[in-house]
Amino acid sequence: MIGNDYILEANSVFFNTKMGDGCLGIGGEPALILRDINFAVRSGEVMAILGSKGSGKRALLDVISHRVESKCKGQILLNGVPLTKSLFQNRCAYVSQDPYFIPGLTVAQTLHYTPARLTGYLKSSKVRQVLADLALTQVAKKYVENLNISEKRRLSIGVQLVRDPVMILLDEPTQYLNPLNAYLLISILSNISKKCGCGIILSLEKPRSDVFPFLDKALFLCLGGVVYSGGTRTMLEYFHNIGFPCPQLENPLMYYLCLSTVDRRSRDRFVESSQQIDALIERFSREPVMSEINLPPKNVAKYPISYGKPTELKVWFMILMQMMLSIFSCGTTGIKFLCVRLFMLPLIFAIYFPFFFNLTFDHHGFFSKKGLILNLIGWSYGCGMIPAIAIYKHWRDKFMKDKAEGLYSGGTLLLAYNIISIGLWLISTSLATIVIYPLMVDTKYQDYKTFAHIVLAVWSCCILAEQISITFLLYVKQTFNSLTYCTYIVVLLIILATGTVRSYAGLHPLLQDVTKTAHSYYVSSIFYSTIFTSHQLNCIPTASIICPKFSEYLFERIGNPDPNEWQEVATACAFALALMVFNMVLYLFPLPKFVKKKFYKQIL
């Protein structure tokens, strides 16, 4: 990348939104957030957007990065070309103040498996360079969940640098950092801008004097208006000429920031400061500082170099590798994820084994097998929900951030997640079936087909429950609420269609038809036919004991005296796979406004 090769301009930008719900354009009364914003940043320069809370700093960054739905007036250009959303996502980057990373990955793995244009040796060398530039080499093998806030901020910048952007926007990068780490971060950003030739725009609320030498330009905002925009070297001269010289030994950034802030301590001070700020905004609009801009002629449009976005297949592969590394890592988080995925279900089935092992197949044991079926189905559904709540929520939160940058679609994310989920659940359900198989099948009737039926039935339960949880996690931010809603659905399925809580014969004819549209109906049919056709009933009828017939009992429980097990297995698996495809399609559609409001406020 060649320095001084790119120029980002804002020409007379006005932005209106609805104040009731922040800068999302959702509800509330319309208000003017930004008015007549003009500035220019070129490659190799660092510009700080300064202002108090409510001045419009974040709104300006959101407008530049097209992270808001409301329309704005004016032009934002990159080398004379309108900076569209796709162009920004392709050639620029946005770094939020609250970075989010997938636990279980190291710093080096997070950077290396970031979707980017570079591949192979070029990307590996780029990662090593970024680690060195951001002073992260010493923590390259450290897991991201063990990083401090300063290291996480630098890592979030590194994730964007690997993509080789020409302009980087940062939202309050020094917030919550101590003075030493704040100085380190700003000095690193200044060095990166000169070394890599990229322009950097960052917002600061409380700038310290020691970062002043690293800032090439400053933009002071107050109530959406520009008090000053230009070089930091000419800032002191400009304010001195209009009658506001900076006192000696004062921090010029904080001094002029206070000058650009409305004083709300009393009504008189509020009116006086508001009038003063309006005068400063009016003065700058009439006499802007243009000495350091030196823009190219307006009729020359030099299009930014585009290396092309990574292909969808490459992005999918990177996400797949991230998921596999997070699950199979040697860290504490990775071990927890792996245990939840592979060993939770077999462990629960092993706990139930002693309670049903000595259960004979006499008159009492015959009906007690119904309790075994209820527990198997219930825990299969339950164990399917837990990984989605414990593991997928991390990917959901990261997807909500990455979606704003256009890195990948929800379908790409779910395709990678489902491929891993299908394989791991097959291993887990096979181990669980080995544990529970002796309780369900008589030794005389054991064969691989019956074993496969049980494995696929339990597998379909786990997949279906996980996919239901994923559906709710798209719309509900709180994982506990998602788990509660999924539990309600699972309980309804068990009560309605398993034949364990209520018999099929005792249902209303309309409900009998409804049960055949439920997944639990076909799973219970597999379990009933497996248990009650592979055992011989040891029962002697007496005056008080009635020995049931298998066909009559199956008809009473599931409404089918002779179920076709392969057909039931295929139907149960079809339910799970259909919901999997449905979720992939669902994640491709834009979120409703009320959902976006919740996610943007609580995640972004």
Side-chain angles (χ1 to χ4, degrees), residues 151-197:
E151 294 166 342
K152 286 184 177 180
R153 290 277 172 84
R154 282 178 274 148
L155 178 57
S156 65
I157 297 171
V159 169
Q160 301 300 335
L161 287 177
V162 172
R163 299 172 55 206
D164 197 22
V166 299
M167 291 287 169
I168 303 178
L169 279 59
L170 299 100
D171 181 21
E172 297 284 355
T174 60
Q175 191 173 37
Y176 307 126
L177 296 183
N178 59 43
L180 180 60
N181 285 323
Y183 175 84
L184 174 65
L185 180 60
I186 299 298
S187 63
I188 286 175
L189 289 174
S190 177
N191 178 66
I192 288 174
S193 67
K194 305 300 185 294
K195 181 178 179 180
C196 300

Side-chain angles (χ1 to χ4, degrees), residues 345-360:
L345 186 62
L347 179 61
I348 292 176
F349 280 10
I351 294 174
Y352 275 91
F353 188 86
F355 296 96
F356 292 94
F357 180 71
N358 294 323
L359 189 65
T360 59

Side-chain angles (χ1 to χ4, degrees), residues 359-567:
L359 189 65
T360 59
F361 213 75
D362 55 9
H363 174 260
H364 297 287
F366 183 89
F367 293 101
S368 299
K369 291 290 184 178
K370 180 177 62 176
L372 175 63
I373 295 175
L374 175 62
N375 283 279
L376 293 181
I377 296 177
W379 281 110
S380 297
Y381 281 135
C383 291
M385 293 186 289
I386 294 176
I389 300 300
I391 300 175
Y392 180 76
K393 72 180 185 68
H394 298 291
W395 292 100
R396 188 277 312 268
D397 293 347
K398 189 173 187 300
F399 167 68
M400 290 301 170
K401 287 182 174 291
D402 294 344
K403 184 179 180 181
E405 301 177 15
L407 294 181
Y408 52 86
S409 64
T412 304
L413 171 69
L414 277 181
L415 180 60
Y417 182 85
N418 290 336
I419 287 177
I420 296 177
S421 179
I422 288 174
L424 292 179
W425 276 127
L426 279 175
I427 298 174
S428 179
T429 53
S430 297
L431 295 175
T433 304
I434 292 174
V435 174
I436 211 72
Y437 189 68
L439 304 181
M440 301 185 66
V441 182
D442 191 11
T443 56
K444 298 179 180 179
Y445 296 91
Q446 293 181 359
D447 57 61
Y448 71 92
K449 292 183 180 180
T450 305
F451 183 86
H453 293 164
I454 300 174
V455 170
L456 292 176
V458 177
W459 175 86
S460 66
C461 289
C462 296
I463 291 291
L464 186 84
E466 184 178 37
Q467 293 300 317
I468 294 175
S469 302
I470 289 174
T471 305
F472 279 109
L473 285 172
L474 177 62
Y475 297 99
V476 182
K477 195 256 178 189
Q478 298 296 333
T479 54
F480 178 78
N481 293 341
S482 299
L483 181 62
T484 302
Y485 301 149
C486 295
T487 303
Y488 287 152
I489 293 179
V490 167
V491 170
L492 181 62
L493 290 175
I494 292 175
I495 294 176
L496 180 65
T498 59
T500 56
V501 181
R502 292 194 59 178
S503 65
Y504 177 88
L507 293 175
H508 188 276
L510 179 62
L511 290 179
Q512 289 180 354
D513 296 331
V514 172
T515 59
K516 295 180 181 180
T517 64
H519 171 266
S520 54
Y521 171 83
Y522 300 96
V523 175
S524 62
S525 177
I526 297 169
F527 288 159
Y528 273 110
S529 60
T530 300
I531 292 177
F532 294 109
T533 59
S534 63
H535 287 85
Q536 293 184 355
L537 180 60
N538 299 321
C539 177
I540 301 176
T542 64
S544 59
I545 297 178
I546 300 176
C547 297
K549 295 182 179 179
F550 287 144
S551 58
E552 294 177 354
Y553 186 74
L554 291 178
F555 180 80
E556 177 192 355
R557 294 285 103 189
I558 59 176
N560 189 355
D562 186 22
N564 185 331
E565 293 186 5
W566 277 115
Q567 182 178 347

Side-chain angles (χ1 to χ4, degrees), residues 32 57 105 167 191 219 276 387 404 419 452 499:
L32 185 63
K57 301 189 301 298
L105 295 177
M167 291 287 169
N191 178 66
L219 172 66
Q276 176 179 291
I419 287 177

Side-chain angles (χ1 to χ4, degrees), residues 175-339:
Q175 191 173 37
Y176 307 126
L177 296 183
N178 59 43
L180 180 60
N181 285 323
Y183 175 84
L184 174 65
L185 180 60
I186 299 298
S187 63
I188 286 175
L189 289 174
S190 177
N191 178 66
I192 288 174
S193 67
K194 305 300 185 294
K195 181 178 179 180
C196 300
C198 62
I200 294 179
I201 303 175
L202 54 92
S203 60
L204 295 174
E205 186 175 343
K206 297 179 180 179
R208 294 173 54 85
S209 59
D210 53 4
V211 305
F212 182 81
F214 301 110
L215 303 179
D216 301 294
K217 292 185 177 180
L219 172 66
F220 287 89
L221 291 179
C222 184
L223 301 178
V226 179
V227 176
Y228 173 81
S229 176
T232 52
R233 295 182 179 181
T234 59
M235 179 181 66
L236 299 176
E237 180 182 354
Y238 170 81
F239 281 106
H240 184 274
N241 292 337
I242 64 175
F244 295 95
C246 180
Q248 292 184 354
L249 304 180
E250 280 280 351
N251 176 6
L253 296 176
M254 280 301 300
Y255 180 77
Y256 292 120
L257 177 59
C258 294
L259 184 68
S260 309
T261 303
V262 176
D263 191 343
R264 303 178 186 273
R265 288 178 292 181
S266 67
R267 178 179 176 82
D268 293 338
R269 290 184 176 182
F270 176 82
V271 174
E272 181 182 355
S273 61
S274 298
Q275 292 175 348
Q276 176 179 291
I277 290 171
D278 289 338
L280 289 173
I281 295 174
E282 176 65 23
R283 178 67 178 270
F284 184 79
S285 65
R286 288 187 285 105
E287 301 178 10
V289 179
M290 299 294 292
S291 60
E292 297 187 3
I293 296 180
N294 298 324
L295 299 178
K298 291 293 182 181
N299 58 348
V300 177
K302 181 172 61 174
Y303 288 83
I305 299 173
S306 178
Y307 301 100
K309 296 182 67 174
T311 62
E312 199 72 16
L313 179 62
K314 182 179 178 181
V315 174
W316 170 81
F317 178 75
M318 290 297 176
I319 297 174
L320 183 68
M321 291 302 298
Q322 287 183 7
M323 290 182 178
M324 293 184 66
L325 289 172
S326 66
I327 293 176
F328 294 101
S329 66
C330 298
T332 304
T333 304
I335 294 174
K336 290 180 180 178
F337 286 174
L338 191 62
C339 289

